[in-house]
Amino acid sequence: WGDGTMTKSGYPFVVKTLKRGEPLSSAREIYRGAPSDQVGTFPMILSDGSGNRAAFLYRGVTFFSNETYLVDGAEVKRLPLPAKSNLQGMVDGQVLIQTSEAWQSGGVSVPTGSLVAVPLKALQSGETLKPQILFAPSPRQSIDGVAATKGHVILAYNDNVRGRVMVLTPGADGWSQTPVELPDNATISIASASDKSDKAYLSVAGFLAPTTLWAMDAANPAPTQVKAMPARFDADGLVVEQFEATSSDGTKIPYFIVHARDMKKDGSTPTIMTAYGGFEIPMTPSYAAITGKLWLERGNSFVLANIRGGGEFGPAWHEAGLKTKRQIIYDDFAAVAQDIFARKLSSPDKFGIYGGSNGGLLMGVEFNQHPDLWNAVVIQVPLLDMIRYEQIAAGASWVDEYGSVSVPAEKAFLQTISPYANIRKGVDYPTPYIWTTTKDDRVGPQHARKFAARLKEYGIPYHFYEDTAGGHSGDADIKQGARLQAMQMVYFSQQLEGKASKQ
């Protein structure tokens, strides 16, 4: 709404209403957040197949905590919901709420990471809420997606990093659960659903199986495959295995490795590994056509590490690495590499790593802390200067994740892990490949530029590429995306398949 209506992170905090056909000048303000909010304020409309409809506001005070409001005519009322919770839809007058913290209300104890339902009428009347628990995850489970249909709820969840789906149905005696049979060892997503019918579509993808689309009637959940992407690489002779590494605190960290069935376990296989480790985002199996065609078909291996900081096992897995506890995330990643070497599935000379954004920060930290574990490091659109990240692009919105230099203990920790601040002269680093985009308005290109400049200042070899097009994802069009992928694979080939050696 113009100057003075955006938070420091660049998001709007003023909400107005107007009727269809009216000019914007006629809009009437109904709520105002604060410019100090780390995110912003946004409207949301929920409706269901029974004709219920309500308007809500979501105020992102911090990245992970929010205030939820009900718009009731001219009145905007704050709801007594947990700060770490999100509205996920509505069925039969029951509002679906996903929690990322424990919640006590009306004598009900809701575990962290659960899905619950509360009556819309209770939210409107202001009475004490008695949430009904629809799904409470075990320690190795997490919710991946929720969608409301006309009369049911489709719940996609992870069970030890494997996709599962169930249908939840309200009834006179409470809610019932119906498991849905779908391919195993895959990531399952809700592709499309609507409160206008019980028809829905699910997307299923695995490391070696192209993405497939499945049609389902939530009232009679027997899904059928209706479409499939074509195979983009030869998966014959490839296998997927899941192992666990032991981190520095004894926690078991799962990871997947895709490799040739007849691979020699002598440490000679070129291998690349990725992870993310932040913002409660899970990393699950997916069909990576380019990796398959340009890497796996050559007899090489690929690893996906499910380190803490992500959402593979719910909020607790994420919160274990928040702010000053973040070093455990980096220990997890190194532990997976060391486990791979111990199993002789690869070796440091043949091992490369890559990641972007928060994953680019992960790569920068690992580049500094364990230069002996890898012979190739790709740092994509990264955060790297963790002392000044709050002043760069949307950095101020991520204080909930990383901490702030305004807090002495958090500043002291950030100084220990900030990749830009911890480059050292005389260290035998692997030659990294750093890339960014000029128009990255999420992280900003400054991090990558400064890191490369410091390497140059210290006489440390590196590769740097900045594309002038594209945003944070670096793929303004297919041609640019192909170029970036090709450059990365050529780099890995030169470093890991060729004669480049850490010796």
Side-chain angles (χ1 to χ4, degrees):
W1 296 106
D3 292 341
T5 65
M6 306 288 276
T7 65
K8 185 178 180 181
S9 302
Y11 298 99
F13 65 84
V14 174
V15 179
K16 299 184 181 183
T17 182
L18 74 162
K19 293 184 178 180
R20 187 187 304 274
E22 291 182 337
L24 286 177
S25 59
S26 298
R28 297 166 295 281
E29 182 175 319
I30 60 170
Y31 185 78
R32 177 176 290 258
S36 59
D37 291 346
Q38 291 180 16
V39 189
T41 303
F42 311 94
M44 177 189 306
I45 303 293
L46 295 184
S47 59
D48 67 16
S50 302
N52 298 293
R53 183 178 175 88
F56 300 86
L57 299 179
Y58 172 97
R59 179 186 177 189
V61 181
T62 72
F63 197 89
F64 298 114
S65 62
N66 60 80
E67 297 172 356
T68 305
Y69 295 82
L70 174 69
V71 181
D72 188 3
E75 186 180 5
V76 176
K77 302 186 298 185
R78 183 176 175 182
L79 299 175
L81 301 180
K84 295 182 179 180
S85 66
N86 291 285
L87 305 183
Q88 295 287 13
M90 182 164 58
V91 172
D92 195 29
Q94 300 288 314
V95 177
L96 308 171
I97 303 169
Q98 183 178 341
T99 68
S100 288
E101 63 176 298
W103 180 23
Q104 299 279 343
S105 181
V108 180
S109 298
V110 180
T112 299
S114 297
L115 179 68
V116 303
V118 298
L120 174 61
K121 290 182 178 179
L123 295 175
Q124 294 170 330
S125 68
E127 64 189 79
T128 299
L129 301 178
K130 296 181 179 180
Q132 186 168 0
I133 300 172
L134 308 187
F135 178 80
S138 71
R140 302 295 269 190
Q141 293 178 331
S142 65
I143 295 175
D144 195 47
V146 178
T149 69
K150 185 175 182 179
H152 305 266
V153 176
I154 301 174
L155 172 67
Y157 64 101
N158 292 316
D159 190 344
N160 199 28
V161 207
R162 288 171 164 84
R164 301 283 187 268
V165 169
M166 70 169 64
V167 172
L168 307 169
T169 304
D173 297 324
W175 290 73
S176 61
Q177 297 182 349
T178 304
V180 179
E181 294 296 325
L182 287 161
D184 201 2
N185 296 328
T187 295
I188 304 174
S189 306
I190 303 168
S192 178
S194 168
D195 60 31
K196 305 303 181 185
S197 78
D198 286 323
K199 307 294 184 182
Y201 288 94
L202 306 175
S203 174
V204 180
F207 290 112
L208 303 180
T211 302
T212 54
L213 187 68
W214 296 67
M216 185 183 77
D217 185 339
N220 182 25
T224 57
Q225 182 179 315
V226 294
K227 281 182 178 285
M229 293 291 288
R232 298 298 185 184
F233 65 93
D234 183 4
D236 288 345
L238 296 176
V239 296
V240 179
E241 293 189 279
Q242 187 182 37
F243 296 112
E244 290 185 338
T246 303
S247 192
S248 56
D249 65 350
T251 300
K252 299 296 183 181
I253 310 300
Y255 66 92
F256 293 98
I257 181 167
V258 187
H259 62 84
R261 183 177 286 106
D262 59 358
M263 177 189 68
K264 295 180 180 178
K265 296 184 179 181
D266 59 1
S268 64
T269 302
T271 303
I272 55 176
M273 179 169 76
T274 191
Y276 187 74
F279 295 94
E280 203 175 334
I281 296 175
M283 298 290 282
T284 57
S286 63
Y287 188 72
I290 294 173
T291 300
K293 189 67 181 176
L294 301 184
W295 192 251
L296 295 174
E297 276 193 3
R298 300 165 68 93
N300 303 326
S301 298
F302 166 77
V303 176
L304 178 64
N306 301 117
I307 61 178
R308 278 172 284 188
E312 287 86 344
F313 299 138
W317 198 247
H318 168 232
E319 292 168 2
L322 277 179
K323 297 185 178 182
T324 58
K325 298 182 288 186
R326 202 163 195 83
Q327 181 58 48
I328 200 64
I329 295 172
Y330 310 127
D331 291 352
D332 288 357
F333 191 81
V336 171
Q338 290 162 340
D339 190 77
I340 289 169
F341 303 154
R343 296 176 189 273
K344 298 189 181 301
L345 302 175
S346 190
S347 59
D349 270 359
K350 297 294 184 179
F351 205 74
I353 57 176
Y354 70 95
S357 191
N358 174 75
L361 168 62
L362 170 65
M363 297 303 113
V365 173
E366 300 296 345
F367 174 82
N368 279 331
Q369 294 188 356
H370 300 283
D372 57 316
L373 292 184
W374 4 85
N375 199 22
V377 181
V378 178
I379 305 174
Q380 311 164 333
V381 288
L383 288 95
L384 293 169
D385 183 358
M386 298 308 292
I387 307 304
R388 294 199 67 257
Y389 86 92
E390 294 170 77
Q391 281 73 53
I392 300 173
S397 66
W398 306 323
V399 168
D400 255 15
E401 178 78 16
Y402 300 122
S404 172
V405 294
S406 65
V407 179
E410 294 172 359
K411 179 180 180 180
F413 174 75
L414 288 170
Q415 288 174 328
T416 68
I417 61 104
S418 177
Y420 177 67
N422 285 280
I423 302 170
R424 298 289 180 261
K425 295 180 180 179
V427 175
D428 182 20
Y429 292 111
T431 301
Y433 169 37
I434 309 148
W435 70 261
T436 187
T437 66
T438 305
K439 296 181 180 179
D440 181 354
D441 61 353
R442 185 76 58 82
V443 167
Q446 299 95 315
H447 290 273
R449 293 172 180 170
K450 292 172 67 174
F451 192 77
R454 179 58 54 85
L455 293 174
K456 182 178 181 180
E457 177 188 353
Y458 288 178
I460 300 170
Y462 67 96
H463 301 288
F464 179 84
Y465 178 72
E466 179 174 325
D467 204 307
T468 58
H472 187 52
S473 62
D475 53 357
D477 53 34
I478 294 174
K479 183 177 180 180
Q480 182 192 12
R483 180 191 305 116
L484 291 170
Q485 290 282 355
M487 293 172 69
Q488 178 166 305
M489 285 304 183
V490 167
Y491 165 78
F492 278 136
S493 178
Q494 291 175 344
Q495 291 293 117
L496 307 178
E497 294 179 322
K499 295 182 179 180
S501 171
K502 291 190 68 60
Q503 274 76 45

